[in-house]
Amino acid sequence: MLHRVLRPRRTWSLVAPLGCLLLTASWSPHRARGAPCDELNAPVDRFAYLRQLTLDLLGRIPSEHEYEALVDEPDVPPDRIEAMLNSDEFYAFVRRFHLDLLWPAIDPGALVEPALALLLPAAFDVDDQGDPQRLFTLYIGLVRRGDLVPCADEPATFDENGQVVLHPWPDGTMRDGYVLVEPYWAPGTQVKVCALEAQAASASASGLACDTPDGLASGYCGCGPHLEHCLSLESAQAIASALREQVARMVWEPVSKGGDYFDFLVADHEPINGPLAHYYRHVIQFGIDPLIARAPVDVTAIPDDLTYDREDTWVNVPRLEAHMGVLAGLPYLLRFQTGRARANRFYTAFLCSPFQAPPGFELPSPADPCTQEPNLRKRCGCNACHAALEPAAAWWGGFVEAGALHLDADTFPPYDAACASCATSPFIPCSDFCRRFYFTDPGHPDEVPFAGWLKAWVWRVDPDNPGASTTELEHLEAGPQGLVAEALADGRLARCTVRKVWERLVGPLPDERREDVLAPLVAQFETTGHDFRALVRAVVTSDAYRTMERP
Amino acid sequence: MRWRSIAALCASALVTAGCAAEAPPDAGSPPSSPGGAGRNAHSGDDASSAPNMAVDTSAGLPAQSDGSATSTAAPTPARRVRRMTVDQWRRSLQVVTGGIGWTEDFGDGPVDMFEILGPSLGAPDYLLVTEENLEPSILIAKIEHDAALRVCAQWIEADRQRAPADRTFFHHADPASVDPNDVDATLRALLLRVLGLYVPGGDDARLVRYRALFEAASTGAPIGMEAFAGWYAVCVAMLSDPQFLLY
């Protein structure tokens, strides 16, 4: 019946733009609610206060019932605020606040080498005329079929030995057929998968284990039982989403328990759900570019019943020592892929110290010889930031760049003589291993002494006295947990956290006001043992939070 | 007649978005509220009720004998008006409508329009966009209006079908009633529900514009549809009011 009232739609569409213009013209902070036009920085009424609180803390406006409960109250009762802070809905604030700080977003295609272990729909091949949903991998297509093509859209055939039969195809490639498989990501259903990709053998004919990158790269291994070693577009997305959620959950744990807020920076465990458990058990070894390779947790501690389909079940599992804390977990290391990027985000988000050249700093002329200095800590024009950034980046020097792998000393000794030899001889080719992890391409005489050292050790170790400790090597050995300990001890973490929470809930303060306004909150935050809820409570019950700024 | 409805709608939005010429500090304070709704009174109460939270955030302000800051001191820090994020907007629309979000069906089943429009509206994905731009813009106003047009139609239609006890739009009066008392009751409820504006009985000033909008939209509507046309216009006006997204 209502539709009759709404006709004709054309009139609406003609007038709507005008309405929008009018609405936008009226949309100004000057026109905030609750106070006379000529009054600066006026307090908001209790209903607006409740709306602020509910939107900020719970991520939604109050319900009508919640508003009505305020009618006979002189103000928002403290126990209402307390209830918000103690409710599960407060997760909305904690989650969003920390997503904005930590940016935990990972391209699903980075979780595995896509060509090797990502099952693509046949529609990826634009020339394919068959069922667009049947699944294949690019690498097997290239190695076994002769091009980046899927199998034929027909049932597979097998020889007397059970091997997949490939037939010549008009375009010169070889094609197998498909089989139906119950995939791990959708139990109880069946999907069409090319027969070569669906192979479930544990080893190739040449003896390569099929749960290794070498085995899968041979082209003679499949994705294993229920396709467990490969990702689909769907499961890759689920794992990427789980890693994002993991960060928020790591923060939520100490916050919800009233513990020390900064525990999430050094936590010795991480929450995982079904998709993450599957990834750690069966797929992570195929994450080779970026280099992930190993789970950051003790995989044997993952409960057997935490299967892929349990997406909403989260279980804490112990992290390996090198990966303790949010700053050494997969979401952080994969989102920020260099030591400098990792340091930059942490210093900006948690220490309020972005790397910026001082005011008035001027770049030198490119002709200035000092611009040829290879050490960025000293190179004029770069040193304004890098003199501080390089020692900061050293905290993450124990992790590979473009990846999340921890460089354990047994596999990756700081110095490799073979890599040094190839780096300094034009007649010895460097292996992929050397080129990936060790410094092999000195481009300046001052860099030559670092040939054969792990890349993270360049400019940090004294090649003439390798046993001598340096500040940056101490950072590298301690890992990001060392940075956290240092920033906790000197109060930088607490000060910046208070400032970030204030800016989130109230707004930025001018430099000259920051200290006197925030110092009491910092003191209280320290006194309460970094109780995050207490900090938020203090801010939202402050005069400033209840006062609307009118520019 | 439709243009009159829209014009009234926009006029209403303009008025409600503006600051009140003589707005009391707390129009909704009950008579017994001690000391009105002044900032100090409220904050002091809250702080004293949470003993481990009490923090003087007006530090640095020289105090006069009556406890107020001197006129030469730096002003007390104040909160900046901000716009809801896309997430807050999505969740708030559901709260307002009793669970009806903004969905559209383009042939493959209903999709959440905030998912579709999130990137255009500046919602961060933390890969390419790391900070949500919360500045008001013509695009936000346009989308807010689009959302209001769609959601209001669904909300009113759904509410009309519900049992009276389950209604979220018409729970103070019959949906078909155009009786002024019924209209005022529903307007009061909607202003509180949608915009958080409490209009106690006897304070009709804030209802005037919405009454006018209701009457303008219902006048000329097909017989039997008057109330629905009026409520649709009111709903769109409120959900596309800048005050809905600002807080």
Side-chain angles (χ1 to χ4, degrees):
Chain A
M1 187 161 61
L2 191 61
H3 296 99
R4 287 167 52 199
V5 179
L6 301 182
R7 287 179 305 197
R9 301 300 300 260
R10 180 177 300 171
T11 312
W12 289 95
S13 62
L14 288 174
V15 183
L18 173 62
C20 290
L21 284 171
L22 290 170
L23 289 170
T24 305
S26 71
W27 197 343
S28 160
H30 294 272
R31 298 176 178 273
R33 68 185 72 206
C37 294
D38 58 354
E39 187 176 327
L40 291 176
N41 293 355
V44 296
D45 68 37
R46 66 189 192 278
F47 293 96
Y49 182 40
L50 178 68
R51 197 169 190 266
Q52 275 181 214
L53 286 166
T54 314
L55 273 164
D56 278 336
L57 303 185
L58 310 185
R60 60 170 175 82
I61 62 169
S63 68
E64 191 173 344
H65 173 72
E66 289 167 329
Y67 278 128
E68 285 173 342
L70 199 56
V71 169
D72 294 325
E73 298 278 357
D75 194 8
V76 179
D79 61 356
R80 292 276 299 274
I81 299 174
E82 203 59 32
M84 288 187 201
L85 291 166
N86 288 315
S87 75
D88 287 344
E89 279 191 281
F90 183 51
Y91 180 62
F93 174 78
V94 173
R95 179 179 186 276
R96 181 58 191 267
F97 180 68
H98 290 89
L99 293 187
D100 286 350
L101 291 176
L102 289 159
W103 306 352
I106 297 170
D107 179 353
L111 295 169
V112 291
E113 169 53 51
L116 202 60
L118 184 62
L119 286 162
L120 297 169
F124 182 84
D125 177 11
V126 294
D127 295 326
D128 187 81
Q129 301 296 313
D131 181 353
Q133 298 302 321
R134 65 192 194 283
L135 300 172
F136 78 111
T137 66
L138 294 174
Y139 201 81
I140 286 181
L142 187 65
V143 172
R144 299 297 303 278
R145 302 185 186 104
D147 204 346
L148 304 174
V149 293
C151 54
D153 188 17
E154 58 190 31
T157 55
F158 300 86
D159 64 19
E160 62 276 11
N161 296 319
Q163 298 300 307
V164 178
V165 174
L166 292 96
H167 303 283
W169 210 246
D171 62 2
T173 62
M174 301 293 287
R175 302 295 179 107
D176 51 333
Y178 68 79
V179 295
L180 294 173
V181 179
E182 180 185 18
Y184 67 85
W185 63 82
T189 67
Q190 290 196 314
V191 293
K192 276 185 183 178
V193 185
C194 292
L196 290 172
E197 282 82 348
Q199 293 175 96
S202 59
S204 71
S206 61
L208 290 169
C210 287
D211 61 355
T212 64
D214 284 346
L216 206 51
S218 73
Y220 288 86
C221 283
C223 290
H226 302 288
L227 308 174
E228 65 183 12
H229 295 311
C230 294
L231 297 182
S232 63
L233 296 178
E234 175 189 5
S235 62
Q237 187 60 56
I239 293 162
S241 297
L243 287 170
R244 171 185 289 205
E245 207 58 37
Q246 180 190 79
V247 170
R249 286 176 174 271
M250 287 183 74
V251 181
W252 178 243
E253 184 173 324
V255 171
S256 63
K257 292 178 178 172
D260 190 316
Y261 162 68
F262 295 116
D263 279 355
F264 77 94
L265 293 172
V266 292
D268 61 2
H269 56 271
E270 70 168 44
I272 65 170
N273 66 352
L276 261 183
H278 182 92
Y279 179 64
Y280 287 165
R281 283 193 194 107
H282 301 295
V283 188
I284 198 166
Q285 64 270 30
F286 301 111
I288 52 179
D289 184 19
L291 184 59
I292 307 170
R294 286 200 291 260
V297 302
D298 177 4
V299 177
T300 62
I302 299 175
D304 291 340
D305 61 352
L306 190 58
T307 49
Y308 179 90
D309 55 314
R310 298 183 65 186
E311 195 163 355
D312 296 327
T313 301
W314 290 83
V315 175
N316 279 334
V317 293
R319 272 206 176 158
L320 303 179
E321 187 176 355
H323 286 278
M324 283 173 21
V326 158
L327 305 176
L330 257 54
Y332 195 80
L333 296 173
L334 292 176
R335 176 62 181 81
F336 307 103
Q337 298 218 357
T338 66
R340 291 169 187 152
R342 291 160 186 165
N344 182 48
R345 176 85 306 246
F346 182 74
Y347 274 65
T348 302
F350 288 94
L351 302 182
C352 300
S353 304
F355 295 97
Q356 294 171 335
F361 181 82
E362 292 184 5
L363 288 173
S365 163
D368 190 325
C370 77
T371 61
Q372 303 305 308
E373 163 64 46
N375 186 348
L376 294 180
R377 298 160 186 78
K378 298 178 181 175
R379 184 188 298 173
C380 52
C382 298
N383 54 358
C385 288
H386 283 269
L389 178 56
E390 299 306 321
W395 296 106
W396 282 269
F399 296 95
V400 68
E401 297 200 335
L405 184 68
H406 180 249
L407 300 170
D408 65 276
D410 291 339
T411 312
F412 303 95
Y415 180 78
D416 187 304
C419 296
S421 297
C422 73
T424 52
S425 169
F427 305 108
I428 305 174
C430 282
S431 66
D432 290 343
F433 180 79
C434 284
R435 287 200 303 271
R436 178 70 173 88
F437 300 105
Y438 290 86
F439 185 63
T440 58
D441 53 353
H444 188 282
D446 290 352
E447 292 179 328
V448 173
F450 296 106
W453 286 89
L454 278 174
K455 289 178 178 176
W457 287 59
V458 175
W459 301 115
R460 292 184 173 129
V461 65
D462 178 357
D464 297 328
N465 186 13
S469 179
T470 66
T471 300
E472 293 193 30
L473 284 183
E474 288 172 4
H475 290 183
L476 192 152
E477 298 286 350
Q481 298 93 334
L483 171 59
V484 172
E486 193 177 282
L488 269 175
D490 62 23
R492 281 181 295 165
L493 262 174
R495 284 196 301 276
C496 183
T497 298
V498 169
R499 178 177 162 185
K500 292 287 184 181
V501 169
W502 180 276
E503 289 177 350
R504 181 78 173 202
L505 293 168
V506 181
L509 285 162
D511 290 347
E512 64 275 14
R513 296 298 312 281
R514 196 171 295 136
E515 176 62 24
D516 66 278
V517 172
L518 299 186
L521 289 168
V522 174
Q524 180 211 46
F525 190 43
E526 298 273 22
T527 304
T528 60
H530 306 130
D531 184 336
F532 189 76
R533 280 188 300 198
L535 170 62
V536 173
R537 183 190 301 121
V539 174
V540 299
T541 55
S542 69
D543 289 357
Y545 184 76
R546 297 206 55 166
T547 307
M548 190 73 84
E549 180 179 277
R550 296 180 189 282
Chain B
M1 298 296 288
R2 200 69 59 201
W3 65 271
R4 292 177 56 189
S5 302
I6 300 299
L9 182 158
C10 293
S12 173
L14 281 169
V15 169
T16 55
C19 43
E22 296 178 7
D26 185 350
S29 290
S32 59
S33 175
R39 165 169 51 88
N40 294 332
H42 286 304
S43 302
D45 289 349
D46 290 348
S48 63
S49 302
N52 64 333
M53 300 307 129
V55 172
D56 178 9
T57 52
S58 60
L61 297 179
Q64 293 180 328
S65 57
D66 62 357
S68 62
T70 64
S71 58
T72 56
T76 301
R79 182 179 175 279
R80 291 189 178 177
V81 177
R82 67 180 57 187
R83 199 203 82 208
M84 287 184 199
T85 64
V86 173
D87 277 346
Q88 288 171 330
W89 189 357
R90 179 210 326 256
R91 295 191 64 202
S92 296
L93 260 188
Q94 292 188 336
V95 169
V96 163
T97 59
I100 297 173
W102 183 20
T103 59
E104 301 286 355
D105 191 339
F106 299 109
D108 293 325
V111 292
D112 183 343
M113 287 304 289
F114 288 106
E115 287 289 333
I116 303 291
L117 295 172
S120 302
L121 295 173
D125 61 4
Y126 302 109
L127 278 174
L128 300 177
V129 179
T130 55
E131 187 175 358
E132 186 160 356
N133 180 1
L134 297 177
E135 291 294 314
S137 70
I138 187 75
L139 177 65
I140 295 292
K142 194 264 186 220
I143 298 298
E144 186 185 25
H145 195 64
D146 287 351
L149 290 173
R150 300 295 287 171
V151 168
C152 284
Q154 295 176 37
W155 183 18
I156 294 172
E157 189 66 26
D159 216 53
R160 235 174 36 83
Q161 309 293 337
R162 290 180 181 138
D166 299 330
R167 287 177 183 156
T168 55
F169 195 107
F170 298 111
H171 57 125
H172 288 277
D174 183 84
S177 173
V178 292
D179 178 85
N181 290 329
D182 289 347
V183 170
D184 280 4
T186 299
L187 283 178
R188 283 195 174 87
L190 288 175
L191 279 170
L192 187 62
R193 184 181 186 92
V194 179
L195 300 177
L197 297 174
Y198 176 58
V199 184
D203 178 8
D204 287 0
R206 286 186 172 180
L207 301 183
V208 170
R209 299 282 179 174
Y210 285 103
R211 276 191 203 135
L213 174 61
F214 179 86
E215 288 166 10
S218 56
T219 302
I223 294 174
M225 303 292 173
E226 297 92 339
F228 302 122
W231 289 124
Y232 182 68
V234 167
C235 175
V236 170
M238 288 186 183
L239 280 184
S240 56
D241 189 322
Q243 280 206 77
F244 178 64
L245 288 190
L246 297 180
Y247 75 103

